[in-house]
Amino acid sequence: MLSLLLTGFVLITIVSYIHTKRAAEELAMGHAVQALRFLNLELDNQFQELRRNLVQWSKEDIFSLALADTYLGRSARAAANTRLADRIRDRDIARIMLANATGDIIAASDPGIIGVISIADRGFFQRSLTGETVVESLSKGRYVEYPITIISTMVAPKEMDKPGVLYLVLDTSRFAQRLLDELRVGQSGGAVVLDPQTGIIITPSWATPGQFNPGPHLAALDAIANTGEVLRYRTGAAGMETERMAVAGRNAHTGWLLVVEADAHEILAPAAWLATINGLISLCILVLAAFSLAALNQALGGLRASEARYRSLIETSPLGIATFDGHGRATYLNERAKRILGLETAASLPEDWRLELEDESGTLLPPETLPMARALAEAAPMHGWTAWHRRPDGQRRVLSLNAAPLMVSGQGSDVVAVMEDVTDLYNARQVLQHSKKELETLVEQRTLELTEANRRLLELDELKSAFLSTVSHDLRTPLTSVLGFAKLIHREFAKRFAPQATDPRLAKSATTILANLDIIVQEGERLTRLITDLLDFSRLDSGYYHWKDGPVDLAALARDAARALAAAFGENKGVRLRLDIPEQLPPMQLDPDRIMQVLINLLSNALKFTAQGEVLLFVREIHDTGQTVVQLGVTDTGAGIAAGEIGRIFDRFYQVGQAGGSMETNKPLGAGLGLAICKQIVEHYHGRIRVQSEPGRGSTFVVELPREHSQALPA
């Protein structure tokens, strides 16, 4: 019998120990589970607000207008920079950027990154262009070394322009730490954030090195996420290991794994003490009962302290928090919720204040359509609801509502609702909408004025082009006759009359007459070139020139240009023309007459300013930064160009030298339009023209034409 009693006492002690330990563990970890729920809810609210704000900002006209590649669009980008800089003030946002359809940053809260960053190859950019609002976490940014979280959405411009993407960047560690710093469990416990995709582990700022190390147990934590189960594991260096207990939950918005953990010994110390007391039951029931009651009181005191901490946290929350039972009756409202609803002086909770919620027009909303009922019915959180509430004092306030079911054993029986008074924000938004309409009216008026002014400018430009065309034609017709007769008189006088002037005075007069006739011919030809340049420049500048593109072998075209000026180089015995041209190049779609005009202009300038030496015409094909470029260049050993003039030689009507004339003769050699015309022709084909020069050592002019912009034909 005694053996049976002893066995019974042992069994009772073992069962009591296990039961007491499990109860103490569940009691202690209930604190951690509650902390995990509030952390998850706060994170949901933060990201929901960021997503909602970003989508709302993307609909503002200033950003869609900035996407347009027009004068008005480029002007709007400066205003967009200011708007984005204002948006990150007093927020946890590192920066906000606006990208066009090709991924180039055209506006940013930090204008210094415009033109530096391209996101064309980023996954979130491509997904947002399809209309998706994307949340993406990275272990580190492409341009920064710390982990970031990106939220992006599409900006749909007006008219028929291509869409863009508005996105914001969060410093993940700083953003998450602000939430984690508020949570503590016991003396050494708290919360951490793990990102299974990037491997990021974010701990509170107050954590010591090695205090939190749940990373090696990621798979086990992921398996118990949102189940309320507890994971126990050991961590620390050999010989100094400690046992930790953790609960986990996955955040729906970010995919982050939220973990609340604490030291097992610290949590279970009361349980171990209770188990020791239960062991004394086998010796003395009365003593055991007394010690059990004391231990229970201590555990209850800890629970009350934990409840008091959370109640203090809830009561001091800047958000209104309320709980409801399954029948929709309010079971708890914190002080902020009472102030929002105007119930500070109410002796008891209202029967159902949900019946007082209205839509914007003042129509009462059915209770079953509210987020509290929806969250309970669908067993899922409800975010972003807006309703109007008429307080007992007569004020009508705008409320933002979020709700989530309180899960017990996997089933929702109660609902927690979070509310915020957004009346001031709503009123400000209404004022903003009114201002927006006024601004749209002003912009429309200004657009009409600019359209009319542009129409008048186009009429004037057409009149100018018609005038230049007519004047050029009318000037060239008599000028052709003058040049023809001047050359005829020069030839006949030199052949028939000059040889007969045997008298010295007559011979001198004949020589003077021939020199004057030469001047007439030279100046007539120069005047013809001036008229031609003016007409070409006018047509190119106004966009009325008809480009006659076709397949062109630039190597063959360069040799033709050299042959065209062979006679001019032959007359100047002191200057030699040398060619560095390949046999053949793959054809490109170009206007051969205009490219020939560029080559002849550059060769003529080189000959004009080179008294002695060499002029080199070269053609080469190079590969640079992933694209193929054909270079046409002219190098001379002439007078060169002063450094102060290099930046102006491609300006219209500007000529090298004093008073716009030749550096040798100070005599004007043209209208100063040749290089300006060359620049317009080259830039039409998305190319560029540049010069390198040093006074006294010659100049090099290089034209670069990219193949991909010339619609290259197969060789």
Side-chain angles (χ1 to χ4, degrees), residues 37-38 40-42 44-45 321-325 370-385 401-407 411-419:
R37 288 176 180 171
F38 276 100
N40 202 2
L41 180 61
E42 180 64 17
D44 278 344
N45 290 337
I321 300 175
T323 59
F324 301 86
D325 61 19
L370 295 175
M372 291 75 79
R374 293 284 302 279
L376 191 60
E378 300 179 18
M382 296 291 154
H383 302 286
W385 288 69
L401 298 173
N402 299 295
L406 291 173
M407 306 303 293
Q411 296 182 350
S413 58
D414 291 342
V415 178
V416 61
V418 178
M419 68 188 75

Side-chain angles (χ1 to χ4, degrees), residues 1-20:
M1 180 65 70
L2 180 59
S3 175
L4 184 60
L5 289 175
L6 289 175
T7 302
F9 272 120
V10 171
L11 290 175
I12 291 172
T13 302
I14 293 174
V15 172
S16 177
Y17 176 84
I18 295 173
H19 177 75
T20 304

Side-chain angles (χ1 to χ4, degrees), residues 354-368:
R354 301 177 308 164
L355 299 176
E356 303 171 6
L357 295 179
E358 308 170 344
D359 62 16
E360 188 173 6
S361 65
T363 303
L364 288 174
L365 296 172
E368 62 273 10

Side-chain angles (χ1 to χ4, degrees), residues 54 84 93 95-99 105 113 117-119 122 124-125 128 143 150-153 155 165-169:
L54 188 67
L84 293 177
I93 302 172
R95 57 183 178 269
I96 313 178
M97 289 160 280
L98 176 65
I105 304 302
I113 63 178
I117 296 177
S118 175
I119 60 171
R122 305 295 291 272
F124 72 85
F125 171 73
S128 292
Y143 304 98
I150 295 172
I151 304 177
S152 63
T153 191
V155 177
V165 171
L166 184 68
Y167 73 102
L168 59 83
V169 178

Side-chain angles (χ1 to χ4, degrees), residues 320-591:
I321 300 175
T323 59
F324 301 86
D325 61 19
H327 301 289
R329 291 187 295 267
T331 56
Y332 170 77
L333 275 76
N334 69 350
E335 290 301 319
R336 178 58 182 165
K338 291 179 180 178
R339 286 196 296 271
I340 290 174
L341 300 175
L343 302 174
E344 302 97 317
T345 60
S348 60
L349 298 181
E351 181 66 23
D352 193 352
W353 60 265
R354 301 177 308 164
L355 299 176
E356 303 171 6
L357 295 179
E358 308 170 344
D359 62 16
E360 188 173 6
S361 65
T363 303
L364 288 174
L365 296 172
E368 62 273 10
T369 65
L370 295 175
M372 291 75 79
R374 293 284 302 279
L376 191 60
E378 300 179 18
M382 296 291 154
H383 302 286
W385 288 69
T386 302
W388 279 255
H389 175 259
R390 194 172 301 278
R391 294 161 40 124
D393 58 8
Q395 293 188 46
R396 192 166 185 259
R397 310 297 289 178
V398 185
L399 305 183
S400 174
L401 298 173
N402 299 295
L406 291 173
M407 306 303 293
V408 179
S409 300
Q411 296 182 350
S413 58
D414 291 342
V415 178
V416 61
V418 178
M419 68 188 75
E420 184 177 5
D421 189 333
V422 294
T423 306
D424 293 338
L425 178 62
Y426 176 80
N427 292 336
R429 190 174 298 161
Q430 294 298 105
V431 172
L432 184 61
Q433 289 290 339
H434 180 69
S435 301
K436 173 188 171 185
K437 291 180 181 178
E438 291 183 347
L439 180 59
E440 288 176 344
T441 302
L442 291 175
V443 169
E444 184 177 356
Q445 293 175 352
R446 183 57 178 160
T447 302
L448 291 175
E449 294 173 1
L450 291 175
T451 302
E452 178 61 22
N454 187 52
R455 185 189 62 78
R456 293 197 298 269
L457 287 174
L458 289 175
E459 290 178 353
L460 292 174
D461 190 60
E462 292 176 356
L463 181 62
K464 176 203 72 174
S465 299
F467 172 76
L468 287 175
S469 177
T470 302
V471 169
S472 299
H473 179 269
D474 291 344
L475 286 175
R476 281 191 291 187
T477 300
L479 186 58
T480 302
S481 300
V482 171
L483 278 174
F485 281 110
K487 291 178 180 178
L488 179 62
I489 293 171
H490 183 280
R491 185 176 66 250
E492 293 299 320
F493 187 85
K495 179 180 179 182
R496 301 181 185 279
F497 296 99
Q500 298 181 16
T502 56
D503 183 87
R505 289 181 300 175
L506 292 176
K508 183 178 180 180
S509 297
T511 302
T512 302
I513 291 171
L514 287 174
N516 291 338
L517 287 172
D518 283 335
I519 293 172
I520 292 173
V521 172
Q522 291 173 3
E523 293 303 304
E525 290 175 344
R526 189 165 70 89
L527 183 57
T528 300
R529 290 195 300 273
L530 291 177
I531 294 171
T532 301
D533 284 349
L534 282 171
L535 185 58
D536 287 346
F537 182 81
S538 174
R539 289 174 176 173
L540 291 170
D541 191 51
S542 62
Y544 288 111
Y545 180 78
H546 177 62
W547 298 87
K548 299 180 286 294
D549 289 348
V552 175
D553 180 354
L554 288 176
L557 192 69
R559 283 190 286 270
D560 291 343
R563 283 192 290 269
L565 289 176
F569 277 92
E571 293 178 0
N572 191 340
K573 302 298 183 181
V575 181
R576 182 171 68 94
L577 175 62
R578 187 165 64 89
L579 305 181
D580 181 8
I581 304 173
E583 287 298 323
Q584 186 178 8
L585 288 175
M588 299 171 65
Q589 282 293 108
L590 303 166
D591 187 331

